[in-house]
Amino acid sequence: MSRPVPNPGILDIAPYTPGKSPVAEPGRKVFKLSANETPFGPSPKAIEAFKHVAEHLEDYPEGTSRVLREAIGRSFGLDPNRIICGAGSDEILNLLAHTYLGHGDEAISTTHGFLVYPIATMAVGAKNVVAAEKNLTCDVDAILNAVTSRTKLVWLANPNNPTGTYVPFDEVKRLRAGLPSHVLLVLDAAYADYVSRNDYEMGIELVATTENTVVTHTFSKIHGLAALRVGWMFGPEHIIDAVNRIRGPFNVSTPAMYAAVAAIEDTAHQAMSKQFTETWRNWLTEEIGKLGLKVTPGVANFVLIHFPQEGKTADAADAFLTKRGLVLRALKNYGLQHALRMTIGTEEANRLVVDALRDFMAGK
Ligand SMILES: *Cc1c(COP(=O)(O)O)cnc(C)c1O
């Protein structure tokens, strides 16, 4: 008997495996440090806005997310007409793939790029082309060398997940200048709020001055609204127009929209979270380094910890930490068999991880 068959390419996609959900020894408190969620939760004002909207769940949302586009516009100094909001930036990345990629096209991402990119690419029958990184960092020349006549799109998370490294804005501009003008450059700035480096920019200026670059961003990380699924994109008018034609008419729910408005307006909450993250990122990098483990210098809300290939392996560390209720992210499906990614948690969680890694390295 015949049965429905997925489109070409779909079954070549490796399913996305989210950060695992915790199972610890009985009696242990569990710290989920595997999905880059904030330990602070959202702004209390966002929770209040969410509850307020709960009184009117019978009404459809305003379909263009106007209040949220306006709030984002005020916050970043952008024209709200050039913003699209989505159910997480995941939705937006997929909308971009649907709008600009098809069978026979190629999209470039980097060796340890975000796994949603190959999924979005292959879901529309296009080919995922991988450009090598250098020192776990995007290599602009490798991307430019990977361009062929079929290339339509380049995905770049800056800073990148899971490596935590970033590309200086000069290099991003060099990338844009070296790509053919019909190739769409997608700059995913999910972790931009955590970066404090003089040579870093989200890329807003490139979007404003070119016809072929977009920036995407999310409310899932520093704003702590991952459960609500809200993301956005800033782009040239013609791209916003095209993507709006295939966007679901009510793709962002009202509670998500109003919670996000309150979150983006609470700049004190963001500043506190950014400062805390930086302090503890530095502390973790130093303390874990003292144990003889290498930590990739990152600029986001997580650290990438490398383990020896034999003996004290990443697998063994993962099992050891999990028993203590400390759940990190194994990265096999990112091609990083010998590393674990740790989201920066509460002070208690961060100290427990270092204590546990010390015991692990000492063979306790
Ligand atoms: C977490 C993350 C996002 C955010 O995805 P949402 O769908 O908005 O939750 C986007 N890009 C990268 C690289 C991420 O790590």
Side-chain angles (χ1 to χ4, degrees), residues 20 42 48 69 79 81 124 254 260 286 290 306 321 345 352:
K20 85 186 141 162
E48 211 173 288
R69 287 184 298 109
D79 177 358
N81 293 319
V124 294
T254 314
E286 194 176 319
K290 283 186 201 160
H306 300 272
L321 291 165
L352 285 172

Side-chain angles (χ1 to χ4, degrees), residues 35-116:
N36 296 345
E37 295 147 343
T38 171
F40 297 111
S43 158
K45 291 173 187 153
I47 298 173
E48 211 173 288
F50 178 85
K51 286 184 180 159
H52 185 71
V53 175
E55 288 164 26
H56 289 285
L57 297 184
E58 68 279 18
D59 296 334
Y60 273 103
E62 187 280 311
T64 74
S65 301
R66 184 181 48 78
V67 292
L68 180 54
R69 287 184 298 109
E70 287 172 356
I72 295 166
R74 283 192 299 277
S75 170
F76 287 89
L78 306 176
D79 177 358
N81 293 319
R82 291 180 55 179
I83 295 171
I84 282 185
C85 296
S89 31
D90 280 1
E91 185 195 17
I92 292 178
L93 301 173
N94 278 288
L95 288 173
L96 287 168
H98 276 274
T99 308
Y100 292 101
L101 294 174
H103 194 71
D105 293 336
E106 295 177 358
I108 301 174
S109 58
T110 65
T111 318
H112 306 108
F114 188 40
L115 277 185
V116 168

Side-chain angles (χ1 to χ4, degrees), residues 124-324:
V124 294
K127 186 176 162 199
N128 175 53
V129 174
V130 179
E133 295 171 359
K134 243 187 209 160
N135 298 324
L136 297 175
T137 307
C138 158
D139 175 1
V140 165
D141 294 306
I143 294 179
L144 293 175
N145 286 334
V147 172
T148 72
S149 58
R150 292 168 179 263
T151 307
K152 290 279 180 62
L153 190 154
V154 173
W155 305 107
L156 180 64
N158 198 26
N160 186 46
N161 170 22
T163 55
T165 56
Y166 78 104
V167 190
F169 192 46
D170 277 353
E171 280 291 281
V172 177
K173 283 195 277 196
R174 189 167 74 83
L175 172 62
R176 178 65 273 174
L179 289 171
S181 60
H182 68 274
V183 172
L184 175 63
L185 175 60
V186 180
L187 300 171
D188 178 347
Y191 299 95
D193 309 289
Y194 292 106
V195 186
S196 35
R197 295 293 179 96
N198 291 333
D199 58 356
Y200 174 80
E201 305 237 1
M202 288 171 67
I204 297 284
E205 174 197 322
L206 263 184
V207 178
T209 57
T210 65
E211 287 292 309
N212 44 24
T213 308
V214 298
V215 167
T216 64
H217 207 345
T218 182
F219 282 87
S220 300
K221 303 289 154 62
I222 206 162
H223 297 296
L225 294 175
L228 290 184
R229 317 302 306 125
V230 202
W232 57 277
M233 166 174 88
F234 175 56
E237 223 169 274
H238 71 102
I239 292 179
I240 297 297
D241 172 62
V243 174
N244 261 331
R245 289 168 196 254
I246 62 163
R247 179 178 62 78
F250 307 107
N251 63 329
V252 180
S253 75
T254 314
M257 215 183 286
Y258 281 89
V261 169
I264 205 167
E265 288 175 350
D266 191 346
T267 51
H269 188 76
Q270 293 156 49
M272 175 277 297
S273 178
K274 180 179 182 181
Q275 182 56 54
F276 176 96
T277 303
E278 191 163 327
T279 302
W280 286 95
R281 192 175 60 219
N282 292 340
W283 184 84
L284 285 162
T285 303
E286 194 176 319
E287 293 299 317
I288 295 170
K290 283 186 201 160
L291 305 175
L293 296 168
K294 197 175 155 257
V295 180
T296 296
V299 295
N301 68 334
F302 54 88
V303 290
L304 184 66
I305 311 167
H306 300 272
F307 292 85
Q309 303 196 8
E310 281 170 36
K312 308 280 177 204
T313 62
D315 268 349
D318 194 22
F320 188 94
L321 291 165
T322 302
K323 276 200 207 155
R324 293 203 180 183

Side-chain angles (χ1 to χ4, degrees), residues 18-23 32 34 327:
K20 85 186 141 162
S21 281
V23 232
K32 185 179 173 209
S34 58
V327 184

